[in-house]
Each structure stands twice: as structure tokens, then as C-alpha cells.
Amino acid sequence: MRLCLAWPLFAAACLPFGAAGFFTPAVAQETAKEAQAPPAEAPADPKAAREQELRHTEQSLQENEVSKLQLQKEIDQLRGDRAKLNAALIDTSRRVREADENIAEAEARLDAAQASERALRRSLASRRGVLVEVLAALQRIGRRPPPAIVVRPEDMLTAIRTSILMGTMLPELKAEAEALAGDLAAIVRLSATAAAERDTLRREREAALADRQRLERLVFVRQADLSSAEKSLDEQRDKAAALARQAATLKDLIARMERDSASAKKAAEEAAKSPKQAQSPAQVAALAGSAFRDPARLAPKIAFADARGVLNLPASGAITSAYGAPDGFGGDEKGITISTAPGALVTAPVDGWVSFSGPFRSYRNVLIINVGGGYHMILIGMDRISVEVGQFVLAGEPLGMMTSAGSGVGESGRSSIKPALYVELRKDGVPIDPGPWWAKSDSEKARG
């Protein structure tokens, strides 16, 4: 039989029992010496590590160059075909969003594994005295071993006393040893889990990087086509900036843009032609099932009021502030706030026309989309917006990116304070609850 002890700073020590169930003295002393010895470290070769890192970098650069050539060829084929370009934009945006979600999940699992490992190590460190007592007991047993009854039958009384003592002490020693061994095994398992999660995280980030590069090129082509079609784009931007300086509120800004900006006015006129609201639940279900499938559509195929319960959030993340919640200033929230990952992609939740795009008052970037039927969706907090005033965007198309840096760094080295995207829905200029329009998540569907 072997009784195994474990300690985070020592190797696992297995304590053999003799035939009579007692610790052998030689092994007890040897165990104490082994436990006190520092763990052996594998010699590191900095030169070999640098060479391996250099080879990996060179291979990544070569693969990246091949990917760029393939991407350029694909982009060239998509030029001039609006439907294919839209389909590629929406599909790539979906993959980027999925990659962002996978990265967030992998980071959460990695953080949990590392936190558990740190907690176990702190627990073991706090029980250092237990190991010292166990080893001290073994050394005492080694200095005064129980007599061999077959060789010295006259020491029967001493053997019986020793057996009684060991019978009292061994259960406690064994329990402590098993607890220590279990904790060390858990640390090894958690370390392996963390290493696997780091590898998963690396692969997800590499895949996300490739999709983001593809998305940037697609967005560039889309906006370049728009620029060539709209010769007065710079003039429109200047006009929008001037109107933003004059407006006092978001409601005033929307009214000014759709009255005085040619592009926004045209967009508002197109939005006014949006489909009429469905007359029956069956008609709503039929429209909702096919409304967002045609990438060549030039206008919404469903009234915004009928899109309840089918829209995706514009960015991946958790809703940290709900509509109607206290805003901390004596009022209520007029929209929702989504905590996103740094650099998260923001996509259009629904078809619509861009009424405003740019800075407004104290907000760095504001995007207002006219979704028809008197509804406007407002998104605030993006670091970069990639659409222009008057542009028609499809549900799922990229609108911009969140900032790539948070305002704090956690233990793992990642940003601890995530970027926030504020989303507000207005009907005839008045904020309303956007909750009924969002599709249920998988967990919400499971709860019913």
C-alpha cells in the first residue's frame, strides 16, 4: 500500500507501508528529504525559443500573404455585383460576430480555470503547516520503528502499544495526505485545461483576424462604390456636421437632418414608402420568415412594427443597462447599453436608411437609422462608423467597430472595463422600449 502526499512546491511523495501496515523508517526519512528539495526545472534554451518563434512568424506572414492574394481575387470578382457583395458582407459579419462570441467564451473559461488554480494554490499555501507536521511524524516513526514480532517476540507489548498509536494517528495522516494529493491533481488538471483554452483562444483569434481583414476589404469596396456614385459626399458630410452643431437634442438633430440634408431627406422619403403593417398574425409570420433573405433588396420587405421578436442585437455582449432602469441621475434609461468586447463588430439589426453618421455634441460618434414607419434606431459609442448618410443598409451588414481598448486591465492582461454600445429606439421622436423587437437568446428560449 502507498500513501501519497502532495504540495504545490514539492513533488508528489508516496509513503509505502510495511507488511504490518507501518511506515518504514528509511522511506520516511527519504520522503522528508525529497519534499524539502526544490523542484527540478527543465533547462531553457533562449536561442532555440527565439528561432522557433521566428519560424512561426515567417510562416504566419507567408500564409497571410497567400490569404491576401486570394481575398483580392475574390473582391475583384464581387465588384459591380451588389447582391453578391451584400451577401458576402452579411456572411462575413456573421462569422466575425460568432468568432467574437467564441473568443469571449474561451476567455471566460480560461479566467475560471486560472481563478480556480490560484484559489487551490492559496489553500495549499495556507496548509503548509499540515505537511510539516505529517513529515515530522514520519521522521519520528523512522527514528523509533516498531519492533519485528517474529524476530523479537519479547517486545509484544511495545508492538501492541505502537499499533494502538498508529491506529489512532494513521486515519488523520491519511486524510490529510489524500486531501493534499487531490488538490495537487486538481492543480495539474486545471493547468492543462488553461493551456488547452489558451490554444483554443489563439486559434479563434487567428480565424477572427482573417475574417476581419476580409470584412475590411469588403466594406472598403462597398463604400468606394458609394463614393463613386455620390460625387458630393464630402459636401454632404460637411452639411451633416453643420446641422449637428446647430441641433440641441437628438430629436432636433433627426428633424434638421431629414429637412435640410439632401441625402437624409431622400432617405426619409424612401423610408416613408416602407411596407404597410401586416393585418394578421399569419401574414406577420410569413413576412418575418423571408424578410431578410434577399441580399439584392433595395428597401425593407417588412414593416418595422412587424419585426418584433426577430431582430438580433447590433453587437455581441451582455445588456448591462435595460430600458427604464435608473440612470443614476434621478431619471430612467431611454435605451439599452450593451457591454461588448474591445474591437467588437457592430451590425445593422434591421434594414434602414442612415439619417445621421458622425459626432454630435458630447458624443464622439452617433449613428441614426430610419427604419420606416416613424421609427428611428440610434446607436452611440462606436469608435469608427463605416456607413454614410443616405445609405441603405441591410440587416446584418457592418456599421462600424467599437474601440479596441478598454479603460482598465485585469489580472489576465485583458481590458477589465469593456466598451459600451448604447442603443435607443424612437417612435415619432419619443424613446420607446426596444425589448420586444429583440430575438430571444438560446437560454431564454430554453426557459420559455
Side-chain angles (χ1 to χ4, degrees), residues 14-85:
C14 291
L15 312 178
F17 285 87
F22 303 126
F23 294 107
T24 59
V27 173
Q29 294 173 353
E30 180 182 354
T31 300
K33 292 179 182 179
E34 288 179 356
Q36 294 169 355
E41 295 184 359
D45 187 349
K47 183 178 179 181
R50 285 196 299 270
E51 289 178 351
Q52 183 178 0
E53 183 178 355
L54 181 60
R55 285 194 298 271
H56 183 268
T57 302
E58 290 175 348
Q59 182 180 357
S60 298
L61 288 173
Q62 291 174 357
E63 292 175 352
N64 193 34
E65 189 62 31
V66 172
S67 298
K68 282 184 177 179
L69 292 174
Q70 292 175 345
L71 176 59
Q72 186 59 49
K73 183 178 179 181
E74 181 183 358
I75 296 296
D76 291 339
Q77 293 174 347
L78 288 173
R79 280 186 185 275
D81 192 329
R82 185 179 181 280
K84 288 184 179 180
L85 179 60

Side-chain angles (χ1 to χ4, degrees), residues 306-321:
D306 293 331
R308 293 170 182 260
V310 299
L311 304 186
N312 294 319
L313 289 172
S316 299
I319 296 177
T320 56
S321 180

Side-chain angles (χ1 to χ4, degrees), residues 234-247:
D234 290 337
E235 182 181 340
Q236 294 175 30
R237 290 173 183 161
D238 294 340
K239 181 69 173 179
L243 291 172
R245 288 191 295 270
Q246 297 169 14

Side-chain angles (χ1 to χ4, degrees), residues 18-176:
F22 303 126
F23 294 107
T24 59
V27 173
Q29 294 173 353
E30 180 182 354
T31 300
K33 292 179 182 179
E34 288 179 356
Q36 294 169 355
E41 295 184 359
D45 187 349
K47 183 178 179 181
R50 285 196 299 270
E51 289 178 351
Q52 183 178 0
E53 183 178 355
L54 181 60
R55 285 194 298 271
H56 183 268
T57 302
E58 290 175 348
Q59 182 180 357
S60 298
L61 288 173
Q62 291 174 357
E63 292 175 352
N64 193 34
E65 189 62 31
V66 172
S67 298
K68 282 184 177 179
L69 292 174
Q70 292 175 345
L71 176 59
Q72 186 59 49
K73 183 178 179 181
E74 181 183 358
I75 296 296
D76 291 339
Q77 293 174 347
L78 288 173
R79 280 186 185 275
D81 192 329
R82 185 179 181 280
K84 288 184 179 180
L85 179 60
N86 288 344
L89 275 165
I90 294 171
D91 182 63
T92 307
S93 297
R94 177 185 55 77
R95 291 207 305 269
V96 169
R97 293 266 310 253
E98 288 177 352
D100 287 345
E101 292 171 359
N102 292 339
I103 288 171
E105 291 173 0
E107 287 177 344
R109 292 194 300 267
L110 176 59
D111 287 343
Q114 290 177 333
S116 298
E117 183 179 350
R118 288 193 296 269
L120 274 175
R121 288 187 180 277
R122 286 194 296 268
S123 174
L124 288 174
S126 67
R127 288 151 58 195
R128 185 184 296 270
V130 173
L131 181 59
V132 172
E133 292 178 2
V134 171
L135 293 177
L138 296 179
Q139 287 178 329
R140 287 195 294 270
I141 293 173
R143 284 195 294 269
R144 299 189 63 184
I149 298 175
V150 176
V151 178
R152 299 172 61 190
E154 67 275 9
D155 287 338
M156 175 67 74
L157 181 60
T158 302
I160 292 174
R161 287 174 177 172
T162 302
S163 177
I164 293 172
L165 177 62
M166 294 297 287
T168 303
M169 183 175 62
L170 275 179
E172 294 185 8
L173 287 176
K174 183 178 180 181
E176 291 294 345

Side-chain angles (χ1 to χ4, degrees), residues 390-402:
Q391 183 175 343
F392 177 68
V393 293
L394 304 180
E397 270 198 84
L399 299 176
M401 297 281 186
M402 301 299 292

Side-chain angles (χ1 to χ4, degrees), residues 75 78-80 82 85-86 89 93 214-234 236-237 346 348 352 354 357 367 384-394 397-400:
I75 296 296
L78 288 173
R79 280 186 185 275
R82 185 179 181 280
L85 179 60
N86 288 344
L89 275 165
S93 297
R214 181 173 189 265
L215 184 62
E216 287 179 2
R217 298 298 298 274
L218 289 168
V219 169
F220 175 79
V221 171
R222 180 190 67 180
Q223 298 310 113
D225 290 345
L226 178 66
S227 299
S228 62
E230 298 287 348
K231 300 298 183 183
S232 58
L233 198 55
D234 290 337
Q236 294 175 30
R237 290 173 183 161
V346 179
V354 178
S357 171
L367 180 65
R384 178 161 51 100
I385 296 178
S386 58
V387 291
E388 300 288 347
V389 174
Q391 183 175 343
F392 177 68
V393 293
L394 304 180
E397 270 198 84
L399 299 176

